[in-house]
Amino acid sequence: MTTPRPTKTSGSQIGLAELGVTKSVLAWLFMLSIVLAVFEGVGLGMLLPVLAYVRTGGLPADGFIGRVMGDALGWLGAWGKNWELAGLLVLTFSIICLRYAVNYVRDVRLVHLRLSITRMLRDKVVRVLVRSDLGYLLSRRSGELQSSLTLETERAGQAASAQVNLITATALVVVYMLLLVLLSPLLTAVTVPILALVALVLRWQSRKSFSLATAVSEQNLRLGDQISEVLGGILRIKMRGQEAKAEELLSTTAERIFRGMFNLERLRLAVEISTHPLMAAAGLLVMLLAVAAAEVSLEVMAVFVFVLVRMAPQVNLFINIWSQRNACMASLQRVRQLVAQAGERRESGGGHRPGPVPVEGVEFRDVWFRYPGAKEDDYALREVNCAIAANSLTAVVGRSGAGKSTLANLLAAYHLPTQGEILLDGHPLETYRLSALRHGMAFVDQQPFFFNDTIRENLNFGVVPPLSDEALEQVLKDSGSWEFVSRLEQGLDTPVGERGSRLSQGQKQRLAIAHALVVKARVLILDEPTSALDKTSERIIAQTIRNLASRLMVIVIAHRLQTVRWSDQILLVEQGRLIAQGNHDSLLASCPQYRELFGKDD
């Protein structure tokens, strides 16, 4: 599936409120930045009286700064001139220390904000994915979703926090500009065109870096998808000797990511380094103009140039933040797009009717179903009409792709019919609360999933309170599992491995059936449970299914005679249509398609 490219959006369109950045947080950070900028300005402004003192040997007597310094430090003159200078230097140093203390508090808050945004984005992605419907999840690649939850949300958090950081960095640059204006409007007028040129460079970089960042984001998603496929198919890769091909596949994508990131960094460095000559040009022009204009004093020129020197790192910091924001903006766009799409596909909670106890029967009435995204006439099921009784065994048979699994998925409410309705005890399926409906059902897939935990924990998953050892032993006996579990050295505390890797296929099938009994399911659906089993395991599973049919509604998708032969009802599906139903003997006698499938002993 092709991953949709995020559309370019300006920073103002990325709502900080939806990322958990409240107005109070922004106000607090902005206030810290203003205080930081004020201390920076005052600290630099203190250089004027210091330089004046060095030149004249005393505190300045005129001007606002001179009067303030005279009132604050004049009393030290009684102790000697050196005490006045010492007091002036101590005051200047104290202001500088306060400036860096405020800087520390602000930076800590910004780091906390960045990590909080990343955590919030991950929580939001997890929430919408877990709550979205099965059709949406199956339409997305697992590697893409994993990458969205890890690397993409990390980069998205950096983009969002960079937007906030830009606000605070801008405040510092503005204070520097105000300080320059206060020092000399004439000299400031010389620097404005150069700073405007820097702004134009930043605008060009924004456009260039967005396209590069989008390509990097797409490659990150592709790499996550490829890693998932390679690890999932590693046995097949090794059996076919395709290790070199798998390595080349991953290395090629990693190389593209490297090239994209390198180009982004090279662009950032080019813009950052280009600002140094521009700022140097501003300083040289200031000195030239200061010499030509007699009204500019030596102290003012010196402080003005020093402010420019101090301003250069802040401009570079602004450029770095701007570059980081642009480099990660594509990831933020993509994560927001994923959240929006998955949110639109949120799974319905169903109606308000509680789950039936016990289940009396199920009826399909003129059911048609088409998967989302399929062509208008591409139906997986067409005009299905049938009834399934409680305490019975119903087998759904047919060739591969006939629609057997789709029929079972509809009954488990993984999807809703496109047309028609499914009635459970006479009521449409969608009128039941989805949680209650599914709690009364158990679905045993061809490849049952197990968490990397013990047998006990897997059986008790979702069960409150957990069953005792005695109760677990009974369901293991009912499912035909106790025979092998009792022989394990650790018994119920035996780890099953990742996805049940330490269990055989037959053992996993039996334990999956045991879990259905643990949750007290009233409807048990099995999707080809004996397709990959040996004869012995198949007979055990088939006997277990027949035993359970006396107290549950059991629906089994099957293509093995051992499972089908003893069914109370058999539904034959072909090309999405239910073409025949009955028991084994009646279908053998009346249905050529059934005879073709099961006319010979298995």
Side-chain angles (χ1 to χ4, degrees):
M1 175 181 175
T2 302
T3 304
R5 292 174 64 89
T7 55
K8 186 171 181 179
T9 307
S10 66
S12 62
Q13 290 177 290
I14 304 297
L16 292 175
E18 67 181 282
L19 298 175
V21 184
T22 62
K23 291 182 179 179
S24 61
V25 170
L26 281 175
W28 174 243
L29 287 171
F30 187 74
M31 183 190 70
L32 286 175
S33 297
I34 294 298
V35 172
L36 172 64
V38 169
F39 277 126
E40 176 77 3
V42 172
L44 292 173
M46 288 294 293
L47 292 177
L48 280 175
V50 170
L51 291 175
Y53 193 99
V54 171
R55 185 171 63 87
T56 63
L59 293 171
D62 56 348
F64 175 74
I65 295 179
R67 290 193 298 272
V68 172
M69 291 298 101
D71 293 340
L73 303 175
W75 59 276
L76 291 174
W79 295 15
K81 290 293 184 181
N82 289 337
W83 283 97
E84 284 184 348
L85 178 60
L88 188 60
L89 294 176
V90 168
L91 180 59
T92 302
F93 179 73
S94 299
I95 293 173
I96 291 172
C97 288
L98 286 173
R99 180 252 191 245
Y100 283 102
V102 174
N103 191 90
Y104 169 79
V105 174
R106 187 198 67 154
D107 287 351
V108 168
R109 297 292 299 178
L110 285 171
V111 169
H112 183 271
L113 178 65
R114 175 175 61 82
L115 296 177
S116 297
I117 290 174
T118 302
R119 180 188 61 185
M120 187 279 301
L121 282 172
R122 283 206 176 106
D123 289 345
K124 182 173 286 190
V125 172
V126 168
R127 187 162 55 250
V128 296
L129 288 180
V130 170
R131 300 287 182 180
S132 61
D133 63 60
L134 189 64
Y136 174 79
L137 293 174
L138 293 178
S139 70
R140 314 296 295 204
R141 302 189 305 269
S142 60
E144 175 194 352
L145 298 180
Q146 291 171 14
S147 181
S148 297
L149 278 168
T150 53
L151 182 60
E152 289 295 282
T153 50
E154 180 73 28
R155 289 171 59 83
Q158 292 175 9
S161 61
Q163 288 184 246
V164 178
N165 215 346
L166 278 174
I167 298 173
T168 60
T170 302
L172 277 176
V173 175
V174 169
V175 168
Y176 278 116
M177 289 301 299
L178 290 175
L179 188 58
L180 292 178
V181 171
L182 290 174
L183 286 169
S184 174
L186 177 63
L187 297 181
T188 303
V190 177
T191 64
V192 168
I194 295 177
L195 292 177
L197 183 59
V198 172
L200 290 176
V201 172
L202 289 177
R203 184 178 180 184
W204 169 81
Q205 183 212 26
S206 175
R207 295 176 177 176
K208 182 72 174 175
S209 61
F210 185 85
S211 60
L212 290 172
T214 300
V216 169
S217 180
E218 290 175 351
Q219 293 302 322
N220 281 330
L221 293 178
R222 183 172 287 112
L223 181 62
D225 193 40
Q226 291 171 349
I227 290 173
S228 178
E229 286 190 348
V230 168
L231 294 179
I234 192 66
L235 292 179
R236 187 176 182 184
I237 290 171
K238 287 184 173 295
M239 288 298 295
R240 300 279 74 82
Q242 295 299 302
E243 293 92 339
K245 185 176 181 180
E247 180 183 348
E248 181 183 1
L249 178 69
L250 297 179
S251 296
T252 300
T253 305
E255 174 67 17
R256 290 172 182 160
I257 294 173
F258 164 77
R259 289 296 175 190
M261 293 299 297
F262 176 73
N263 288 333
L264 279 169
E265 286 299 302
R266 186 170 61 178
L267 179 63
R268 179 188 65 81
L269 290 171
V271 173
E272 179 181 338
I273 291 174
S274 66
T275 59
H276 288 284
L278 291 175
M279 298 300 290
L284 293 174
L285 286 173
V286 164
M287 286 187 284
L288 176 63
L289 189 61
V291 172
E295 71 272 12
V296 178
S297 67
L298 180 64
E299 298 97 282
V300 170
M301 184 193 74
V303 174
F304 195 96
V305 172
F306 184 75
V307 171
L308 278 179
V309 172
R310 289 283 298 168
M311 186 177 177
Q314 294 300 326
V315 172
N316 283 333
L317 176 63
F318 184 92
I319 291 171
N320 284 331
I321 297 171
W322 182 261
S323 300
Q324 181 189 43
R325 178 252 188 201
N326 291 327
C328 298
M329 185 57 68
S331 295
L332 178 57
Q333 298 273 15
R334 196 179 298 280
V335 170
R336 292 177 72 248
Q337 186 180 53
L338 175 66
V339 169
Q341 290 176 347
E344 291 174 358
R345 296 289 297 274
R346 181 182 175 90
E347 191 171 49
S348 170
H352 301 287
R353 192 182 301 278
V357 182
V359 171
E360 297 176 1
V362 172
E363 183 181 358
F364 285 72
R365 286 186 181 175
D366 194 28
V367 171
W368 295 64
F369 177 73
R370 181 180 61 239
Y371 283 99
K375 296 180 180 179
E376 188 173 348
D377 61 344
D378 187 12
Y379 284 91
L381 289 179
R382 299 170 179 267
E383 202 175 356
V384 174
N385 290 279
C386 66
I388 302 173
N391 303 331
S392 68
L393 173 58
T394 297
V396 183
V397 301
R399 293 181 174 83
S400 297
K404 306 185 298 296
S405 296
T406 301
L407 190 146
N409 289 338
L410 289 177
L411 181 56
Y414 291 158
H415 307 283
L416 291 177
T418 307
Q419 180 180 320
E421 59 182 357
I422 302 173
L423 304 178
L424 180 60
D425 290 355
H427 303 286
L429 216 56
E430 56 269 25
T431 63
Y432 290 93
R433 284 202 313 270
L434 191 60
S435 58
L437 180 69
R438 287 180 177 168
H439 186 75
M441 293 185 178
F443 199 106
V444 179
D445 206 349
Q446 297 180 48
Q447 296 291 336
F449 178 85
F450 289 88
F451 295 101
N452 190 9
D453 211 325
T454 64
I455 292 176
R456 182 198 311 278
E457 293 301 320
N458 273 282
L459 290 178
N460 276 321
F461 178 72
V463 180
V464 181
L467 268 62
S468 64
D469 287 4
E470 293 75 16
L472 288 176
E473 180 180 337
Q474 184 58 50
V475 297
L476 288 171
K477 289 178 178 177
D478 292 343
S479 65
S481 307
W482 181 246
E483 175 265 333
F484 77 86
V485 172
S486 62
R487 288 189 281 105
L488 297 173
E489 184 177 348
Q490 295 176 267
L492 287 168
D493 294 315
T494 301
V496 301
E498 185 177 4
R499 303 180 69 91
S501 59
R502 299 180 63 177
L503 302 172
S504 71
Q505 185 66 22
Q507 290 171 341
K508 287 192 286 187
Q509 291 286 356
R510 281 180 272 174
L511 285 178
I513 295 174
H515 179 67
L517 299 178
V518 169
V519 300
K520 297 183 171 64
R522 296 175 291 279
V523 177
L524 176 60
I525 305 171
L526 303 102
D527 190 352
E528 302 201 18
T530 62
S531 60
L533 303 184
D534 57 77
K535 292 289 185 180
T536 301
S537 297
E538 180 186 1
R539 281 194 294 270
I540 294 174
I541 296 291
Q543 184 59 51
T544 300
I545 292 173
R546 291 198 296 272
N547 293 340
L548 293 176
S550 62
R551 51 185 168 130
L552 301 175
M553 176 189 292
V554 180
I555 301 167
V556 57
I557 299 170
H559 68 272
R560 304 283 287 267
L561 183 59
Q562 183 71 27
T563 310
V564 172
R565 184 193 300 274
W566 307 109
S567 301
D568 300 301
Q569 177 181 222
I570 300 170
L571 305 177
L572 177 58
V573 182
E574 189 170 288
Q575 296 182 350
R577 295 184 182 275
L578 179 60
I579 63 171
Q581 53 187 309
N583 59 31
H584 176 67
D585 293 332
S586 66
L587 289 178
L588 277 180
S590 62
C591 183
Q593 294 92 333
Y594 186 82
R595 282 199 301 273
E596 185 178 343
L597 292 173
F598 299 104
K600 297 180 181 180
D601 290 340
D602 206 353

